Structures are given as structure tokens and as C-alpha cells.
Amino acid sequence: MNNLPRIHYFLLLTTLLTQLPLFQSSYHEYQEALSKSILFFEGQRSGYLPQDQRVTWRANSGLSDGWTYNTELTGGYYDAGDNVKFGFPMAFTTTMLSWSVIEFGDLMPPNELRNSLVAIRWATDYLLKTVSQPNRIFVQVGDPHADHNCWERPEDMDTPRTVYAVDAPNPASDVAGETAAALAASSMAFRSSDPGYAETLLRNAIKAFQFADSYRGAYSDNSNIRDGACPFYCDFDGYQDELLWGAAWLRRASSDDTYLSYLQNNGKTLGADDNINEFGWDNKHAGLNVLVSKEVLEGNMYSLQSYKASADSFMCTLIPESSSSHIEYSPGGLIYKPGGSNLQHATTISFLLVAYANYLERTSQAVNCGNVNVGPYSLRQQAKRQVDYILGDNPMGLSYMVGYSDHYPQRIHHRGSSLPSVKDHPEFIACKEGSVYFNSSNPNPNVHVGAIVGGPSQDDSYDDNRDDFRKSEPTTYINAPFVGVLAYFAANPNFS
């Protein structure tokens, strides 16, 4: 018998095996990833650090924040790898951390639930300060242009800590609306453990929403804000979604019919039916629709049915088998949207998939996607693929969460992580003196455990390069939704 076909068959089989995505079968410690995703926030803290601070390469910073307004604005988070406190993404981060606790907190081990609430409170204590003065909201601390011109530890900051405030009747519907959402959502997160604090949060959420709704417009259209907010956290997608988002969270937190009426009466005028399939710090549409759908599914509130229809439509776009599927995936299976910090899309969308799956399961429902019916299992399966990709099941075999697994980015775009800590190098490192560390090819001296970086290119490639901030910079709003997703899979590793 001629052995040639058998050899060809063997070669073909070998080739196929080497090309199979073997990275999809690995086992993940979701519990470990959950702990680390929460720990990350301690490395982002601004202000006076507490005695129980676990990220010990960080120290006090930004202690005079607010002095130019004769007000106290210490605390809060640096949004990413720089030393500026941007209110818009910080508020969104807070909303998503709170939603993670509201939706999945009962699945968390008690110590991680406690750590999550501590992470939320670090933000809410600061956000309360931003709305503490009548008819004014503080939207940012720090001149980003001066800050980005330096490579400096937060502890050494000597760039201007410019305070950006919006006074009525100037509008800040986006930041004030998101702040209202953050304070309302966090009031629910704290309701059982600290009812007094929860009441304070809700009261201030109502106040922030009144500011947002009374003076409508985008904060970055304001000439004295634009130079500080743009191009970093401009409102690119309009302020209308934040008004609906803030109202939706106030409805959920207060059960007040005023906000139900707001959602019913303003949905069309504020673009709820635009069906924009995106969710992130600037665009709340998909998240809004999922959030409001809970009341339709579990509370039979059919006057909000249009929101659920939009949520269903969004879910169908995520299912490859659906005829309306149109989301882009990388060859390795990562949800991909062009632009920087791509993993923010993967984490926020994964959160919505798992949350919506919960709502459907509790009411024994499925989503009709035309040619296919999609149930909770399919939605969770889609989310799990994204989670596992981020944790290492990808063509690079790389965990995009720092400190998780043995193979993760070593040179992240983050000042505090890449410069020696104050404990190891107590001498002041001036603005340009940090450049030698930025330009170094050495791994960062401080491992920023739990930080999820911007992520790979559309072809799944990733260069571990500090200079490529779109891929190598972590952000609070990438991590925040992932906390809830990891809580679900840590409790349900073999979900059905």
C-alpha cells in the first residue's frame, strides 16, 4: 500500500492541531482574579492613604486638591496611568462598581464584598464633595496637559492642580447625570451595611440630577472646561443618555414614580430609541436599556417596553448565530471596537450579558433574535469567552490582568507602577527626571496587581510597550464592570 496518503493525512492533522485555538481550554481561578481586580483600585487612590492600604508602593498624594477654590477636594481616583482626577469616568467607574455589588455582591466572599464597598466609598466620599456647593459641580482636578508633559509619581506631583468647576446656569448634564447615577447606585450598595450613609448618597444623587436636568448641555461645550476635559474625556456622544441613566438609577434606588414618569416621557426626546449598541464612560445607551429592562421583566412595567426591545436588540447583535449579529470580533474571539483601551468594551459588554442573563432567568424568558432564541446560557457563554480571553485564553497566551498567571504585561503605561516607589527611592523625582524610567525597556518595578490594560490589536497581537498607551494603559472603568462579572463566574465556574 502506498504510504503517501497516510503521510499527507498525518501532516494535515499535525498542521490542524497546531492551528487549533488550544488557548480556549485552560482553567481559571476566577476567585483570585476577582480579588485582584478589586485590589487594583487601591493603587489608583488619591489623597491620604489609610493604615490598611495593601498596595504599599503607593503613598499620600494630591493633598492640597481644591485649595484654589478654598474647598477640600482630596481623595477619589486617578482614572488611569496619569495623575488627574477626571470626574466623568470616575463617576461611571463608581456606578459600575456599585452595580457589580448590587447584582453580584451576594455571590462574593464576605471579605471581597467588604473590599468592594471600600473601593466604592473611596470614590463616593470624593463625589459627595464635588456636589457639596449649591448650583456648582466640580468636574476635574489637575491640568492634564501639564500632567501629560511629565512622567512623575503622584506623590511627587508639582504640576498645577487646576480645579475645573461648572456653575449654574452653565450645563454639565453628562457629569452631573453620571454622578447622580453613581450616588444612587452606591446608595443601594450601602443600604444594608450603612443605611445612614446610603441616605446621604441618595439625597445628593437627587440634587445632582436636578442640576443635570435643569441646565441641559454637555460640560465639555463649556469654554472654561473644554481645554481641560478635551480630548481626554470630552462628551463625544451627547449628554442625553446620562439624563436617562441618572433617572433610571434614581428610579431603582428610590422607587419614586417621578423617575418612572421621567423615563416614560423623555425616552423619545432624549434618544432612548436610537438603539446605540455601545456602553462605556461616554455612552450609556446599552447599559440604560438593560437596567430599565429589569423593571419590565421582573416588575411587569410594560410602559417601559421600548427599553427592553432595545436591550433585546443589543443582545442579538452579540450572538454570532443571530441574523442581526454585527459586532466585530478579533480572530481569537475578543469583542473589538476600533480606538484605544479596547478591553473596556469587552468588560462592560460582558457585564451586561451576565446581568441580562440573570433578569431573563428569574422570569424564565429568552430573547427572540429572529432565526434563533437566545437564553441565559448563551449570554453567559458569550461573557465567559471574553473573561477567559482577558485572563489568558488568547493567541498571545497572555493575561491582560497584571499579576494574574505567570505571563502578563510587564511594562504598563502607568507612572506610579513604572517609577520606583517613594519607599525605595525617597528622593524627589522631578517632571522630566522620570523620562529615564518611561524610556527604559525594563519591567515596571511595582507590579500593579489587578490592573487590566487597554488590550491587544484587532489581530490579537500585543507589544508589551509602555509607550503604546492605547494598549498598555490600565483604567478604572475597564476594571469596574469586571468585578461583577468575575464575582458571577467565581461563584458559578461551571454555569448552566
Side-chain angles (χ1 to χ4, degrees):
M1 179 183 169
N2 189 335
N3 282 331
L4 203 56
R6 189 176 296 173
I7 292 167
H8 278 176
Y9 173 76
F10 176 75
L11 288 172
L12 177 65
L13 186 62
T14 307
T15 305
L16 284 172
L17 284 172
T18 57
Q19 290 176 350
L20 278 174
L22 299 178
F23 50 85
Q24 289 182 347
S25 59
S26 53
Y27 170 78
H28 286 296
E29 292 283 357
Y30 299 116
Q31 187 65 64
E32 177 195 342
L34 171 65
S35 301
K36 289 177 173 176
S37 70
I38 300 166
L39 179 63
F40 160 75
F41 289 93
E42 293 193 21
Q44 296 299 117
R45 284 172 168 173
S46 181
Y48 292 93
L49 302 189
Q51 290 294 310
D52 60 358
Q53 169 82 9
R54 295 177 292 168
V55 178
T56 55
W57 48 266
R58 283 295 324 283
N60 298 340
S61 63
L63 302 184
S64 62
D65 284 359
W67 73 270
T68 52
Y69 266 80
N70 199 27
T71 193
E72 205 271 294
L73 291 174
T74 59
Y77 291 115
Y78 304 119
D79 74 295
D82 54 22
N83 302 324
V84 182
K85 297 192 305 204
F86 293 99
F88 199 11
M90 197 195 306
F92 177 70
T93 292
T94 312
T95 307
M96 293 311 298
L97 274 175
S98 300
W99 199 359
S100 291
V101 165
I102 294 163
E103 207 64 58
F104 306 107
D106 59 347
L107 302 179
M108 295 179 184
N111 63 318
E112 295 307 346
L113 176 57
R114 187 169 58 250
N115 288 333
S116 297
L117 289 171
V118 167
I120 293 167
R121 188 160 187 155
W122 197 268
T124 51
D125 281 353
Y126 172 79
L127 292 176
L128 287 171
K129 296 174 186 179
T130 69
V131 293
S132 61
Q133 297 180 7
N135 294 312
R136 169 180 286 167
I137 180 168
F138 295 103
V139 297
Q140 187 173 318
V141 179
D143 178 339
H145 302 283
D147 179 90
H148 290 182
N149 193 40
C150 294
W151 196 257
E152 207 168 25
R153 299 179 296 202
E155 295 81 5
D156 287 337
M157 270 189 297
D158 53 2
T159 51
R161 300 300 288 167
T162 309
V163 174
Y164 298 84
V166 177
D167 293 310
N170 293 306
S173 298
D174 31 32
V175 184
E178 184 61 68
T179 301
L183 296 173
S186 58
S187 77
M188 294 180 69
F190 281 103
R191 192 166 288 160
S192 59
S193 62
D194 193 339
Y197 188 59
E199 186 54 44
T200 298
L201 293 166
L202 184 56
R203 190 173 64 251
N204 281 274
I206 292 166
K207 190 169 69 171
F209 185 76
Q210 286 169 343
F211 186 103
D213 195 39
S214 300
Y215 312 105
R216 291 189 180 187
Y219 86 122
S220 51
D221 287 347
N222 210 311
S223 58
N224 59 338
I225 301 295
R226 186 180 304 132
D227 287 348
C230 301
F232 316 102
Y233 294 103
C234 266
D235 186 330
F236 297 101
D237 287 322
Y239 62 86
Q240 294 88 342
D241 52 331
E242 277 82 26
L243 289 174
L244 293 168
W245 178 241
W249 273 111
L250 278 161
R251 165 64 182 169
R252 188 151 168 194
S254 68
S255 300
D256 189 329
D257 285 346
T258 306
Y259 301 107
L260 172 63
S261 300
Y262 190 97
L263 292 168
Q264 292 165 339
N265 299 334
N266 291 280
K268 280 194 164 44
T269 54
L270 294 176
D273 296 339
D274 291 356
N275 214 4
I276 297 164
N277 295 319
E278 199 170 319
F279 186 45
W281 62 264
D282 187 33
N283 195 319
K284 312 298 154 32
H285 281 89
L288 164 72
N289 293 325
V290 167
L291 178 67
V292 175
S293 293
K294 177 182 168 66
E295 198 154 359
V296 182
L297 285 162
E298 298 180 19
N300 299 318
M301 192 63 71
Y302 296 115
S303 60
L304 300 172
Q305 180 64 36
S306 63
Y307 291 89
K308 182 186 174 295
S310 294
D312 286 353
S313 169
F314 174 64
M315 294 299 153
C316 293
T317 68
L318 303 173
I319 305 298
E321 302 79 41
S322 162
S323 56
S324 54
S325 170
H326 71 128
I327 201 148
E328 285 187 57
Y329 289 89
S330 73
L334 177 69
I335 288 172
Y336 194 87
K337 286 180 177 288
S341 270
N342 183 64
L343 287 184
Q344 66 182 303
H345 306 298
T347 61
T348 55
I349 288 172
S350 295
F351 183 95
L352 296 183
L353 282 162
V354 179
Y356 207 59
N358 279 2
Y359 303 160
L360 291 171
E361 187 170 71
R362 286 181 207 135
T363 54
S364 304
Q365 295 200 40
V367 178
N368 185 311
C369 294
N371 60 324
V372 61
N373 263 356
V374 177
Y377 178 82
S378 294
L379 298 182
R380 288 170 180 146
Q381 204 173 32
Q382 289 300 108
K384 188 172 184 292
R385 284 185 194 131
Q386 300 306 302
V387 174
D388 290 349
Y389 184 107
I390 291 169
L391 295 180
D393 292 5
N394 55 64
M396 298 291 291
L398 186 72
S399 161
Y400 290 105
M401 177 186 284
V402 173
Y404 178 87
S405 89
D406 297 327
H407 190 30
Y408 54 81
Q410 305 286 322
R411 298 162 189 83
I412 67 171
H413 183 98
H414 190 279
R415 288 157 176 76
S417 170
S418 67
L419 291 155
S421 74
V422 174
K423 291 181 178 63
D424 296 332
H425 187 291
E427 297 80 19
F428 177 74
I429 301 174
C431 170
K432 294 299 184 185
E433 289 175 2
S435 300
V436 64
Y437 299 99
F438 176 77
N439 294 320
S440 165
S441 59
N442 293 332
N444 289 7
N446 308 306
V447 179
H448 198 348
V449 174
I452 303 172
V453 296
S457 300
Q458 192 161 4
D459 63 357
D460 297 301
S461 65
Y462 182 84
D463 296 320
D464 191 2
N465 181 354
R466 202 174 290 116
D467 192 33
D468 190 354
F469 67 91
R470 287 182 177 83
K471 294 179 187 171
S472 63
E473 187 170 22
T475 72
T476 56
Y477 48 87
I478 295 177
N479 267 66
F482 213 50
V483 169
V485 178
L486 288 169
Y488 176 81
F489 287 112
N492 301 278
N494 305 306
F495 70 96
S496 60

